[in-house]
């Protein structure tokens, strides 16, 4: 009989934030910190937790402004503040070493975190999380141009916070849309439509240009620290096209790279191919770094 792990759904108090997270796996197993993307939350990793939780400890928090995490009115949304909360979350749950899985928004949050706590990073898994100019599509560049003080910027951001766009991020670029469950985009949109959530997303979108400005610093960090790295990429991502995956090899020439014929949310369609790669990488990396 296959081993099916128990997945726990908990909250951790981090200052004024009540951070929701999912956790599974033996407490003494290799730790994989899962950082989700936009417009999703930790639920995007639900099948990965089931696939790997028997032999790995997986921890997936929701950022402020996403999922079930609760923050007080007036919380200042920026990528720095998201990183502050994730860093505090790690202290709250007692995790000081982990393999970092960075997807989409998990890239800017995770690489900030890596810069703050380099000794905590046992390895890096990059899945459609961009850190290079050539990994930005024209669509992405257009969104990044929406900055504070730019006329019409907020309205343009609000145009993408609707169900057809949310659904399109899941199904766009997939080889077989029937492999993508509708639950993901349905829950994402439900949470986006909650009070205050769209204002949070507007603030983060207008802050995104600061991530691009940090690309050179993140590239220097990668080149200097050479973390063991597994790169997983959906080549048909409308925001972060395939060249962004290969660009990492400039600074991480020993990185392992796998490109899949799917879109942005690669785990939705390609979990059977991706999960064994993650399990193998985490197992090898954890032993080597011990």
């Amino acid at each position: 009989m296959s081993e099916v792990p128990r997945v726990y759904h908990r909250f951790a108090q981090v200052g004024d934030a009540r951070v929701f997270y999912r956790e599974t796996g033996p407490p003494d197993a290799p730790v994989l910190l899962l950082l989700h993307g936009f417009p999703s939350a930790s639920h995007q990793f639900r099948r990965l937790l089931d696939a790997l939780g028997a032999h790995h400890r997986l921890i997936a928090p929701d950022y402020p402004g996403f999922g079930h995490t609760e923050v007080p009115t007036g919380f200042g949304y920026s990528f720095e503040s998201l990183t502050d909360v994730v860093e505090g979350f790690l202290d709250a749950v007692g995790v000081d070493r982990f393999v970092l899985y960075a997807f989409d928004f998990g890239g800017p949050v995770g690489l900030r975190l890596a810069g703050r706590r380099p000794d905590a990073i046992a390895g890096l898994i990059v899945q459609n999380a961009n850190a290079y100019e050539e990994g930005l599509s024209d669509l992405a560049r257009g969104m990044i141009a929406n900055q504070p003080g730019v006329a019409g910027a907020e309205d343009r951001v609000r145009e993408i916070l609707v169900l057809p766009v949310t659904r399109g991020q899941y199904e766009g670029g997939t080889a077989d849309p029937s492999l993508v469950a509708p639950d993901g985009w349905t829950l994402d949109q439900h949470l986006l439509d909650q009070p205050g959530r769209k204002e949070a997303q507007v603030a983060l979108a207008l802050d995104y240009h600061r991530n691009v400005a940090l690309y050179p610093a993140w590239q220097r960090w990668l080149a200097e620290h050479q973390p063991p790295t597994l790169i997983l990429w959906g080549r048909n991502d409308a925001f972060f096209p395939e060249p962004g995956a290969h660009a990492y090899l400039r600074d991480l020439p020993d990185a392992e790279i796998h490109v899949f014929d799917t879109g942005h949310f690669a785990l939705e369609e390609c979990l059977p191919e991706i999960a064994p790669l993650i399990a193998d990488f985490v197992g090898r990396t954890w032993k080597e770094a011990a």
Side-chain angles (χ1 to χ4, degrees):
M1 178 180 290
S2 300
E3 296 181 68
V4 180
R6 295 183 184 275
V7 178
Y8 297 92
H9 305 84
R10 297 170 168 147
F11 285 90
Q13 197 68 35
V14 181
D16 292 332
R18 189 167 180 253
V19 178
F20 175 84
Y21 67 104
R22 301 165 197 261
E23 181 175 9
T24 188
D28 58 348
V31 179
L32 184 57
L33 176 66
L34 305 171
L35 296 185
H36 67 81
F38 165 86
S40 197
S42 60
H43 70 84
Q44 74 166 83
F45 296 115
R46 64 205 178 280
R47 294 183 65 213
L48 186 64
L49 270 66
D50 287 337
L52 300 185
H55 302 289
H56 302 80
R57 184 182 177 196
L58 286 78
I59 302 174
D62 291 350
Y63 311 136
F66 296 80
H68 302 289
T69 287
E70 302 167 4
V71 294
T73 302
F75 181 88
Y77 290 96
S78 69
F79 284 89
E80 287 290 340
S81 66
L82 298 192
T83 307
D84 291 342
V85 171
V86 172
E87 185 175 22
F89 166 77
L90 292 172
D91 291 336
V93 299
V95 171
D96 57 10
R97 184 168 170 270
F98 50 87
V99 174
L100 171 66
Y101 186 110
F103 166 67
D104 187 29
F105 274 22
V109 173
L111 288 170
R112 280 179 170 83
L113 186 63
R116 298 180 187 187
R117 299 191 173 187
D119 294 339
I121 309 298
L124 180 62
I125 300 174
V126 178
Q127 194 252 294
N128 292 74
N130 189 55
Y132 294 84
E133 287 282 348
E134 54 264 60
L136 296 172
S137 68
D138 290 341
L139 178 61
R141 292 179 189 279
M143 291 306 303
I144 293 165
N146 293 315
Q147 300 177 20
V150 174
E154 181 174 333
D155 291 339
R156 286 190 290 273
V157 172
R158 288 184 179 275
E159 289 174 358
I160 72 168
L161 305 178
V162 295
L163 181 58
V165 178
T166 301
R167 178 174 180 170
Q169 291 191 64
Y170 278 81
E171 293 186 319
T174 58
D176 184 353
S178 72
L179 292 171
V180 181
D183 312 281
W185 73 71
T186 302
L187 180 55
D188 284 352
Q189 192 62 46
H190 167 74
L191 292 168
L192 272 174
D193 290 339
Q194 298 307 297
R197 288 299 179 90
K198 289 185 177 176
E199 288 73 19
Q201 297 307 323
V202 168
L204 290 169
L206 298 184
D207 188 56
Y208 199 92
H209 65 101
R210 299 183 189 277
N211 298 329
V212 178
L214 286 172
Y215 281 2
W218 295 341
Q219 293 161 17
R220 288 192 297 270
W221 187 92
L222 294 170
E224 176 183 351
H225 290 274
Q226 291 295 304
T229 302
L230 172 65
I231 300 169
L232 308 167
W233 212 273
R235 64 161 45 100
N236 305 320
D237 190 329
F239 289 92
F240 304 135
E242 183 178 347
H246 300 286
Y248 277 92
L249 299 178
R250 289 206 302 269
D251 297 306
L252 298 169
D254 295 328
E256 179 182 341
I257 184 168
H258 299 268
V259 179
F260 301 89
D261 187 24
T262 191
H264 188 62
F265 283 93
L267 288 177
E268 295 292 318
E269 183 176 18
C270 298
L271 181 75
E273 296 82 12
I274 290 175
L277 296 172
I278 295 174
D280 177 69
F281 175 79
V282 173
R284 286 186 286 109
T285 298
W286 199 261
K287 290 178 182 178
E288 292 169 0

